[in-house]
Amino acid sequence: MSPSRIRSLVLRSSLFVLVSSLPPIAFAVHSKNAGPEKVELKFKLPPPTPLSPEEELKTFKVEKGFRVELVACEPMIESPIAMSFDDQGRLYVCEMRGYMHDLEGGGEKEPTGRVSLLEDTDGDGRMDKATAFLDKVVMPRAVMAVNGGALIAVPPNLFFCKDTDGDGVADVKDIVASDFGTFGGQPEHMANSPVWAIDNAIWCAGHGTRFKLRGGVWQKDSGLGRGQWGLCQDNYGRLYFNYNSDMLRADLLPTEAFTKNPLLRNASSINAKLAADQTLYASHPTPGVNRGYDAKSLSSDGRLTKPTATCGALIYRGDAFPAAYRGNAFVPEPAANLVKRFTMSERGGIVKATNVLKGAEFLTSTDERFRPVNAYDGPDGALYLVDMYRGIIQHTSFLTHYLIANIEARKLEAPFNQGRIWRIVPDTKEHPQPVKVAKDVKLLTHANGWVRDTAQRLIVESSDATAIPALKEMLQNENALARLHALWTLDGLAAATPDVVKGALADKNAQVRAAAVRIASRDLAPDLIAMTGEKDALVLANLAIKLTAFNLPDADAAAAKLLASNGKTALVREGALTGLRGREAAFAKLLAEQLTKDNGVQIMPVIESLGALLAAANKAGPFEEMLELAAAQPQGGPFQVAVIKGLSTSGDSKSKAPAKLLWLDAEPASLKTLKGAMTDKASAKLFTAVAARLAWPGKPGAPPPPVIKPLTEAQTALFEKGKTIYHTLCTACHQPHGFGLDGLAPPLVDSEWVLGKPEIAARIVLNGLAGPLKVSGRSFNLAMPPLPQLTDEDVAGVLTYIRREWEHTASAVEVKDVTAIREASKDHPAMWTETELKNLGKKK
């Protein structure tokens, strides 16, 4: 989870060598991979003494030229996991005080969590006043200052809380979302870290919905569930996140564009891995990690060398650090008690993170209870760290026998009620001063990104039209970042008129032009079509996204022209593919018309990608249409080879499930033509894979065609009712297209859980399902909450709908069967697991 996501855990310290065989311990352990029961503690580490903040400060080693300062500590705060400054410099701190009181996860169901509001009343940089803004809640996991209050995550709810009478205590508590995690769910794998991004949307890690606040009303839109713990943005609004063993990833193109085409799961433009070298350099032995029994986990002297517990990263955008540090990534790794620094570079829209300090880190500690779980910019331009300060950070669900032995032998269970906030500043006599932000357009020129972001948010929140003239004037400012913020602020005020956007499309800065393309409305299609001669890869990629999204003949023709010159560039190609779902073969025909002997190198990667999308779509008609188009091209030419290569893929590299058999009415003539064209061994093998996916009546070796039983009148009525319920209740996660959202919901299309025994699917809807589980060969670790509010007729309708929509041919589900299943499973105490449901299936 935050800390939890913290995946490796608890601790470390000093030397090595002792071999102590310990018997297995009867605590909760990882359900599938608890490691060997008999373990050896190879490193002799005495039980560490919990340190005071002053003592812990002495254990830090920070890069030369910086110093660490204490901002807040226990008893003012306990078990902090997240924080957020408001516009006046007050600090909201989310305290998960119920987390892991012991090895069995004691305390997690108790309402001991809180969000405190801290203030520095004397201006010395140290918080000296604390108010329980929201108290007595269970396992809160996120906070973000917004609209004079704060968004606070208390699973399953995301609340907007506000103090309206000035006492510092929230007296407004409105539900913004009720699917922000699961009550009692796995804290390492639930939504967290809301961030107001430059596009005026609030994005969250691990959550597939983005939020917008307009005119005081919360709005929802689809997003992509990205990352495990932590989320941030850079100066241009790119989203950065991570996973426990991967320190930094990013969406290089607008995240929302990829929600339109769920088959682009393997696109390199989103969820892009940025750092090739993630070697860790801990300042002391750290053998007490979850997989410490594996020789590959630790160096010969017992130090963690690869990340296992990566937490909330920060792209530093403050103004207190020297220029060389601005735009760097700072990534906490609490299992190794350190914060790593990466320098960031960009070329052609591709971002790269470089591990600059070989043999050292930006910040390390020899105190194994130093648990940095989040990093933030502050109103003073400094870098802030949330230190959960405790021994155990691995959640009980994932403990190994080895880690349990370490925890017990070294007395790491307690204390669990401490925690600190640290600030890192340049080691000079000057002390950076915080900026109090107002809805002042001039602040969009400020050097501190936190100030710019906050000023933009305040203006958009206010819906204040009087700011529009000054914002338009700001579009002429010589500061490109100020122009960028002004453009997005105008968009947030619904004041980015065609004239405003036209001007920005011609801006000398590529990031501003790219933003203008994103914002441009359909009315500006002619202006965008005229931009196909643009040279910058990022602008071209955004242009490709927008042109194909219009679904207009002229725009498609322009997109084809653009790809005929730039299709080899992954960002541009993938950008175009976001808007082509269901139109792949038709667009391939446009590209065929553009093909010359000189541009084939640009067009063929696009053709192959279109074929791969059709292979993943599992639709017989479009698949055959693509074959027909290929057969009409020059015999044995690169176009035919690209089509066959694309169609031969599984469409999803993560899936281990066999490809779906596609039924045609008769053998297509195109197969014979293409078979004769695939003369070399490699292409012939690909053709065989394509042909094997197709079946028709009378094909030698093909199974009997599926028998599709028509729905009765009553079943058709159930289907229609289920369709309404699905599109009202289910599409936020599983999406209208049924392909789900990565990080939020698995696909329903062609899912064995949907098309298998209906009594299994009914139990999932009635009681819920907790991961991990496999769907179509892919692994998911998610939870679907139960839906007890649905009647038996509702459940039968939804299941009938998803079993017959999307070219599914499974049987309808009867109301009486749901009634019987509800009665039979009424005493089931919790959500089902994959193993339980599979065992039930075997009994039938």
Side-chain angles (χ1 to χ4, degrees), residues 238 252-253 269 345-351 511 535-541 569-572:
R238 280 180 293 228
L252 304 179
L253 292 179
S269 306
S345 58
E346 178 181 351
R347 183 176 181 181
I350 304 297
V351 178
Q511 290 288 351
K535 299 301 182 184
D536 184 85
L538 184 64
V539 180
L540 285 169
T569 303
L571 285 184
V572 181

Side-chain angles (χ1 to χ4, degrees), residues 212-254:
K212 293 183 178 180
L213 180 62
R214 298 293 183 272
V217 177
W218 291 102
Q219 303 172 359
K220 298 180 183 180
D221 205 346
S222 58
L224 289 175
R226 285 281 174 264
Q228 190 171 342
W229 182 259
L231 187 72
C232 66
Q233 66 170 342
D234 65 12
N235 279 334
Y236 312 113
R238 280 180 293 228
L239 299 177
Y240 293 77
F241 42 89
N242 48 44
Y243 300 92
N244 58 347
S245 57
D246 194 339
M247 301 196 86
L248 199 62
R249 295 201 175 207
D251 287 343
L252 304 179
L253 292 179

Side-chain angles (χ1 to χ4, degrees), residues 20-25 29-30 32-42 289-295 297 398-406:
S20 152
S21 262
L22 300 178
I25 305 168
V29 294
H30 196 299
K32 291 190 175 182
N33 191 11
E37 292 190 7
K38 291 186 177 181
V39 298
E40 292 181 332
L41 301 185
K42 298 180 180 180
V289 296
N290 216 20
R291 305 292 167 196
Y293 57 84
D294 186 342
S297 295
F398 295 111
L399 289 171
T400 61
H401 295 289
Y402 171 86
L403 183 51
I404 290 173
N406 272 274

Side-chain angles (χ1 to χ4, degrees), residues 176-445:
V176 176
S178 56
D179 61 349
F180 209 80
T182 305
F183 179 81
Q186 169 46 251
E188 292 194 25
H189 296 281
M190 289 196 289
N192 60 85
S193 304
V195 171
W196 183 299
I198 201 169
D199 63 355
N200 301 303
I202 297 171
W203 296 86
C204 308
H207 193 58
T209 300
R210 69 185 192 272
F211 305 94
K212 293 183 178 180
L213 180 62
R214 298 293 183 272
V217 177
W218 291 102
Q219 303 172 359
K220 298 180 183 180
D221 205 346
S222 58
L224 289 175
R226 285 281 174 264
Q228 190 171 342
W229 182 259
L231 187 72
C232 66
Q233 66 170 342
D234 65 12
N235 279 334
Y236 312 113
R238 280 180 293 228
L239 299 177
Y240 293 77
F241 42 89
N242 48 44
Y243 300 92
N244 58 347
S245 57
D246 194 339
M247 301 196 86
L248 199 62
R249 295 201 175 207
D251 287 343
L252 304 179
L253 292 179
T255 307
E256 70 276 7
F258 289 82
T259 65
K260 296 180 297 182
N261 197 336
L263 300 178
L264 281 171
R265 295 186 184 277
N266 302 318
S268 60
S269 306
I270 54 172
N271 201 24
K273 185 171 183 175
L274 305 184
D277 178 10
Q278 301 187 26
T279 306
L280 302 179
Y281 302 101
S283 59
H284 66 129
T286 59
V289 296
N290 216 20
R291 305 292 167 196
Y293 57 84
D294 186 342
K296 297 178 182 178
S297 295
L298 303 172
S299 63
S300 59
D301 63 351
R303 304 184 190 216
L304 189 65
T305 59
K306 298 293 181 184
T308 67
T310 306
C311 284
L314 172 71
I315 302 298
Y316 176 72
R317 301 168 59 221
D319 59 347
F321 284 18
Y325 292 81
R326 298 177 192 180
N328 287 190
F330 293 85
V331 188
E333 216 301 352
N337 316 119
L338 60 81
V339 176
K340 176 172 286 295
R341 178 170 74 90
F342 293 101
T343 57
M344 309 298 290
S345 58
E346 178 181 351
R347 183 176 181 181
I350 304 297
V351 178
K352 178 182 178 181
T354 301
N355 189 359
V356 286
L357 298 175
K358 302 296 184 180
E361 300 290 357
F362 177 73
L363 174 67
T364 62
S365 172
T366 55
D367 183 355
E368 60 190 283
R369 286 184 169 85
F370 171 55
R371 302 300 191 186
V373 295
N374 253 316
Y376 299 91
D377 286 315
D380 55 358
L383 187 155
Y384 286 75
L385 292 174
V386 177
D387 175 8
M388 201 179 182
Y389 203 80
R390 52 167 39 234
I392 303 177
I393 52 176
Q394 180 68 65
H395 189 255
T396 182
S397 301
F398 295 111
L399 289 171
T400 61
H401 295 289
Y402 171 86
L403 183 51
I404 290 173
N406 272 274
I407 292 168
E408 289 209 314
R410 307 193 49 245
K411 299 179 174 57
L412 292 166
E413 288 182 81
F416 50 75
N417 60 349
Q418 296 179 297
R420 290 97 196 243
I421 307 291
W422 303 100
R423 172 178 49 236
I424 302 176
V425 296
D427 191 17
T428 64
K429 293 181 180 179
E430 297 179 0
H431 196 284
Q433 294 301 305
V435 177
K436 292 187 177 182
V437 182
K439 52 178 183 173
D440 183 352
V441 173
K442 293 179 182 178
L443 289 175
L444 298 181
T445 67

Side-chain angles (χ1 to χ4, degrees), residues 441-723:
V441 173
K442 293 179 182 178
L443 289 175
L444 298 181
T445 67
H446 203 282
N448 185 349
W450 180 89
V451 174
R452 296 194 306 272
D453 292 349
T454 305
Q456 176 179 325
R457 174 175 63 79
L458 293 177
I459 296 169
V460 173
E461 284 175 356
S462 72
S463 301
D464 186 0
T466 64
I468 293 174
L471 288 166
K472 290 182 176 179
E473 183 178 348
M474 185 66 71
L475 291 173
Q476 309 305 317
N477 193 284
E478 62 182 21
N479 183 330
L481 286 177
R483 299 198 302 275
L484 184 64
H485 277 280
L487 181 60
W488 278 115
T489 307
L490 285 165
D491 184 60
L493 294 174
T497 60
D499 286 345
V500 166
V501 178
K502 276 186 181 182
L505 289 173
D507 194 280
K508 60 185 179 182
N509 181 272
Q511 290 288 351
V512 177
R513 295 200 303 279
V517 171
R518 285 181 67 183
I519 292 170
S521 65
R522 199 179 185 90
D523 295 339
L524 292 177
D527 299 88
L528 298 180
I529 289 171
M531 291 180 66
T532 52
E534 166 74 46
K535 299 301 182 184
D536 184 85
L538 184 64
V539 180
L540 285 169
N542 279 275
L543 193 58
I545 289 170
K546 186 61 65 126
L547 289 173
T548 57
F550 285 152
N551 193 12
L552 296 171
D554 288 350
D556 282 350
K561 179 181 177 182
L562 185 155
L563 289 168
S565 301
N566 301 278
K568 192 176 179 180
T569 303
L571 285 184
V572 181
R573 180 174 67 252
E574 292 174 357
L577 295 175
T578 62
L580 293 174
R581 181 171 171 265
R583 302 191 291 128
E584 296 89 350
F587 193 80
K589 186 175 182 181
L590 289 178
L591 289 171
E593 295 169 356
Q594 294 271 348
L595 184 61
T596 69
K597 64 178 181 179
D598 298 322
N599 64 15
V601 69
Q602 299 290 343
I603 288 179
M604 293 315 147
V606 188
I607 296 299
E608 183 179 332
S609 295
L610 290 168
L613 288 178
L614 287 173
N618 291 330
K619 306 301 180 188
F623 197 99
E624 185 178 11
E625 189 179 351
M626 194 69 163
L627 289 172
E628 291 171 352
L629 174 63
Q633 305 307 308
Q635 193 77 348
F639 193 102
Q640 290 186 332
V641 174
V643 169
I644 293 301
K645 189 175 181 180
L647 291 177
S648 68
T649 66
S650 67
D652 187 346
S653 62
K654 297 179 181 178
S655 176
K656 299 179 181 179
K660 179 182 178 181
L661 193 63
L662 304 179
W663 280 90
L664 306 176
D665 293 333
E667 181 179 6
S670 57
L671 273 186
K672 184 177 180 181
T673 301
L674 292 169
K675 183 177 181 179
M678 301 297 111
T679 55
D680 65 276
K681 186 175 181 180
S683 59
K685 183 177 181 181
L686 295 175
F687 174 81
T688 300
V690 171
R693 290 208 60 185
L694 301 175
W696 53 86
K699 179 182 181 180
V707 177
I708 305 174
K709 185 177 180 181
L711 297 179
T712 65
E713 183 177 346
Q715 290 169 341
T716 300
L718 267 181
F719 175 94
E720 292 300 328
K721 181 171 186 176
K723 180 178 181 180

Side-chain angles (χ1 to χ4, degrees), residues 43-102:
F43 301 90
K44 185 177 182 180
L45 302 174
T49 302
L51 303 181
S52 68
E54 293 75 19
E55 291 170 329
E56 184 187 9
L57 184 61
K58 295 177 182 178
T59 71
F60 291 145
K61 182 179 181 181
V62 67
E63 195 172 333
K64 186 177 180 181
F66 295 90
R67 68 173 182 269
V68 183
E69 300 176 343
L70 182 66
V71 176
C73 64
E74 72 282 349
M76 179 178 284
I77 56 171
E78 299 175 9
S79 297
I81 60 167
M83 57 175 255
S84 181
F85 283 104
D86 74 1
D87 51 273
Q88 298 304 297
R90 300 184 304 172
L91 183 60
Y92 292 98
V93 178
C94 183
E95 302 171 67
M96 191 180 279
R97 299 164 75 203
Y99 184 71
M100 290 297 289
H101 288 190
D102 52 42

